[in-house]
Amino acid sequence: MAANRNSAEVGSPAAKPAFAKPSVTAGIYIHIPFCEKKCFYCDFYSIENHSQRDEFVNSLIREIELFSQSHSRLEADTIFFGGGTPSLLSAKELDTILNVLHRHFDITEDAEFTMECNPGTVNTEHLSDYRQLGVNRLSFGVQSFFDDELSFLSRIHNSKEAVEAIESARAAGFDNINIDLIYALPNQSKPRLAANLEKAVALNPTHISAYSLIVEPGTPLFSAVANGKVHTLDEATEAKMYESVMTFLEEAGYNHYEVSNYSRPGFECKHNLKYWNGEEYVGFGPSAHSHVSNTRWWNVSNLTGYIASLANNRTPISAKENLSKSQIVDEYVLLHLRQGKVDLKTLRAKFGITLESDFILEMNKAGYLNVSGDEIRLTRAGFTVCDEIAEEILAKHSVSV
Ligand code: SF4
């Protein structure tokens, strides 16, 4: 299948039949590399200097055009504007980008269209414009409902603005809303975590992403931890907090469908599921990643370099890799386990791999896995050591081929 798709993608647009039905359905990711202020803990590519904003939009358009000249036309059933802070985009800028996407992709009528929003950058009018342009899902980086926690994270919004942003989204006609939370902050107490979860659930979003604070190399947070100015929680406390997040959100009716993601039934993020299920997606903008036909590539994480490449009609790709069978299998096991389950029958049928049972039985006995027929499922305790279990499975069963 991959080889067929590869060969179909080569060729000039002029050689394509005018009404050829797209053979591949992908997700589209657009990276907006601007933020009002860089957060203390963040390692996503974004900058505070907005002076090249017009050049960025023109370059983004050029990148989409260049992609479509070298690939056969794709159907897209998800669009995700991430960043950075996509909610800094004006309606006019968004409209311009969408017109180009519609020219070069067949976007399905029921496509999920997500826009990440910083609560400090939106109001009802702004969000109504997005709604009218087809955005149907908003993802808010709320992180906490406590002002001191927000100020530790150096967010630009306060808790009142976070609540107002969700209310504005509802007033603008959005009913599919995600709230991002960060927990396991230094000194965060359990009642604080519980209060954050209660406040999030009280706003009745369709989706909640709850991440523990990760100390990413290269961030100011990393230096602060290294210098002893910030003390992170110990692993056992963090694991207990994670278990309480799972319990609370599941009891509140949210389905835990990925390590850090919870949704009302039917409101899983379709775009992110593409990443986790090894499906196809095309990313545009600095640092954006793509995966088509078992090839993965990613763009330069540098706005000036991105603009310069496209000004010379060169794609801004930083590196490209053809996925080996062993990478595909490893990622399949890891990413499915992170979704809570691995179907052994699919593993056999897809890759001809049988997992030996000793380790699985050991994990079952220890309370980390439930085994039922051909399916292994993580328990709540299993989720707290999910990556370690995946690593052991991959090492013990030599599934790397
Ligand atoms: S707003 Fe989001 S992308 Fe921007 S710096 Fe903060 S965490 Fe990073």
Side-chain angles (χ1 to χ4, degrees), residues 137-148:
R137 183 173 184 273
L138 296 178
S139 176
F140 285 97
V142 168
Q143 318 311 1
S144 168
F145 291 96
F146 289 98
D147 288 345
D148 58 342

Side-chain angles (χ1 to χ4, degrees), residues 325-336:
K325 189 176 174 195
S326 90
Q327 269 174 304
I328 294 170
V329 173
D330 286 3
E331 288 183 13
Y332 181 91
V333 173
L334 176 66
L335 294 175
H336 279 79

Side-chain angles (χ1 to χ4, degrees), residues 157-302:
H157 67 279
N158 60 32
S159 67
K160 187 168 165 276
E161 286 165 331
V163 174
E164 284 167 359
I166 309 291
E167 285 165 354
S168 295
R170 299 231 185 265
F174 286 94
D175 50 16
N176 194 1
I177 294 171
N178 169 58
I179 289 180
D180 275 352
L181 293 176
I182 298 183
Y183 66 94
L185 304 181
N187 300 320
Q188 190 178 43
S189 64
K190 279 191 199 155
R192 271 293 185 100
L193 171 59
N196 268 330
L197 292 167
E198 271 161 28
K199 285 180 191 200
V201 168
L203 291 166
N204 197 22
T206 48
H207 193 285
I208 296 176
S209 301
Y211 304 98
S212 62
L213 180 68
I214 305 284
V215 181
E216 300 284 2
T219 59
L221 174 61
F222 187 87
S223 313
V225 171
N227 296 337
K229 289 189 183 139
V230 167
H231 300 280
T232 52
L233 297 180
D234 62 78
E235 269 183 32
T237 307
E238 197 180 312
K240 276 198 188 117
M241 282 183 145
Y242 181 32
E243 287 200 54
S244 70
V245 172
M246 288 186 264
T247 306
F248 185 92
L249 292 179
E250 281 168 357
E251 283 175 2
Y254 289 86
N255 169 31
H256 184 203
Y257 73 104
E258 199 270 346
V259 169
S260 309
N261 288 279
Y262 307 79
S263 80
R264 295 281 188 216
F267 287 94
E268 297 81 8
C269 176
K270 293 191 181 98
H271 184 83
N272 285 340
L273 280 170
K274 285 186 188 288
Y275 302 143
W276 304 326
N277 289 331
E279 293 170 17
E280 320 229 299
Y281 49 88
V282 195
F284 301 106
S287 80
H289 283 57
S290 304
H291 173 236
V292 177
S293 303
N294 289 336
T295 301
R296 191 156 50 199
W297 66 92
W298 50 96
N299 284 349
V300 288
S301 296
N302 174 312

Side-chain angles (χ1 to χ4, degrees), residues 18-144:
F19 300 104
K21 185 166 169 19
S23 57
V24 178
T25 302
I28 297 173
Y29 174 78
I30 305 283
H31 190 85
I32 306 299
F34 303 109
C35 287
E36 267 191 24
K37 183 169 157 259
K38 197 73 196 161
C39 301
F40 185 52
Y41 59 92
C42 173
D43 76 334
F44 294 123
Y45 177 67
S46 68
I47 54 174
E48 293 174 2
N49 179 346
H50 298 193
S51 59
Q52 290 180 297
R53 190 149 147 177
D54 290 347
E55 283 167 279
F56 161 70
V57 174
N58 290 335
S59 304
L60 186 66
I61 291 169
R62 189 70 200 120
E63 189 190 7
I64 297 166
E65 289 169 348
L66 279 182
F67 175 85
S68 73
Q69 284 167 15
S70 58
H71 291 74
S72 62
R73 194 172 173 91
L74 298 182
E75 181 177 75
D77 59 356
T78 64
I79 302 176
F80 195 106
F81 275 64
T85 306
S87 51
L88 287 173
L89 283 179
S90 66
K92 191 164 174 282
E93 287 169 323
L94 179 60
D95 191 29
T96 305
I97 299 166
L98 289 178
N99 280 331
V100 180
L101 288 179
H102 279 283
R103 264 207 301 284
H104 296 286
F105 289 88
D106 288 341
I107 297 170
T108 60
E109 264 184 33
D110 60 348
E112 176 190 86
F113 183 175
T114 304
M115 178 77 89
E116 283 184 344
C117 294
N118 186 326
T121 62
V122 296
N123 57 44
T124 306
E125 197 189 339
H126 185 185
L127 294 176
S128 296
D129 290 341
Y130 286 171
R131 187 74 193 93
Q132 273 172 22
L133 289 169
V135 179
N136 53 30
R137 183 173 184 273
L138 296 178
S139 176
F140 285 97
V142 168
Q143 318 311 1
S144 168

